[in-house]
C-alpha cells in the first residue's frame, strides 16, 4: 500500500520527492530521520497528512511530528 500511495510506476514520488516522503514516514515512527537538503523541498502539510494516513491504514502506530 505504501508503494501504491507514495510511488509512481517510474519509482518517482507521486507527490513531493521520494526522499522527503520516506523521511517523513520515519519521523512519524519516532526516528530521527532529519529533513531533506536543498534543492529538494519538504512536503506540504497536505502531503504530510497523506503519509500519516497511509501509515495508519497499514496499522502502523505514528507519533506526532512537527512539519
Amino acid at each position: 500500500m505504501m508503494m501504491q500511495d507514495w510511488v509512481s510506476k517510474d519509482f518517482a514520488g507521486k507527490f513531493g520527492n521520494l526522499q522527503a516522503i520516506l523521511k517523513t514516514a520515519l519521523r512519524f515512527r519516532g526516528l530521527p530521520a532529519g529533513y531533506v537538503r536543498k534543492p529538494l523541498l519538504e512536503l506540504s502539510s497536505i502531503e504530510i497528512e497523506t503519509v500519516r494516513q497511509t501509515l495508519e491504514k497499514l496499522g502502523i502506530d505514528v507519533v506526532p511530528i512537527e512539519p
Side-chain angles (χ1 to χ4, degrees):
M1 179 173 296
M2 285 190 301
M3 293 295 280
Q4 293 169 345
D5 287 357
W6 299 346
V7 182
S8 65
K9 291 184 184 205
D10 65 352
F11 297 104
K14 284 188 174 179
F15 54 90
N17 61 74
L18 195 53
Q19 292 88 341
I21 295 169
L22 295 176
K23 284 179 171 281
T24 300
L26 290 170
R27 288 197 315 270
F28 270 125
R29 292 294 296 136
L31 298 169
Y35 297 88
V36 295
R37 289 183 264 171
K38 290 181 180 181
L40 299 177
L41 301 174
E42 288 298 326
L43 301 180
S44 70
S45 58
I46 294 170
E47 294 165 337
I48 291 170
E49 181 62 17
T50 301
V51 173
R52 186 190 63 74
Q53 288 175 356
T54 299
L55 293 172
E56 288 181 342
K57 281 192 287 188
L58 291 167
I60 298 172
D61 293 330
V62 297
V63 299
I65 65 170
E66 294 193 24

